[in-house]
Amino acid sequence: MVFGWFILILGVFGIANGSAILIRSAIHVEGASCKAICGISLLLAELFTPAFGALAAGAIYLLVGSCLALVGYLVLRDRQRVWP
């Protein structure tokens, strides 16, 4: 049950981070601790434009956050079915 809540909260924060990037263009290029998503967004920014890199990073964060939130919800829902 703790795992389900952890994944759900992690997904919600991913959605919030992706929304902040898309709405405010609040991407943290220097000092960011995310290696994969920030690396992909920097690569796309170099290949296309910095705006496209920020848009791609926001979309990736929203996608990953939504998937994690869905998995957390499904884990918690299945847990409720097992325990009355």
Side-chain angles (χ1 to χ4, degrees):
M1 185 152 174
V2 173
F3 177 73
W5 279 108
F6 176 74
I7 295 296
L8 182 67
I9 291 171
L10 189 65
V12 168
F13 280 121
I15 292 170
N17 192 18
S19 299
I21 289 172
L22 289 176
I23 292 171
R24 297 182 296 158
S25 299
I27 189 164
H28 307 288
V29 178
E30 290 103 15
S33 62
C34 62
K35 302 294 183 205
I37 295 174
C38 291
I40 291 170
S41 67
L42 287 174
L43 180 65
L44 291 174
E46 289 294 322
L47 290 175
F48 299 106
T49 62
F52 184 77
L55 181 69
I60 292 170
Y61 272 114
L62 279 175
L63 180 68
V64 170
S66 298
C67 290
L68 286 175
L70 179 66
V71 167
Y73 171 74
L74 292 175
V75 166
L76 289 174
R77 188 184 70 176
D78 288 341
R79 184 75 174 170
Q80 291 295 330
R81 286 185 185 173
V82 172
W83 296 93

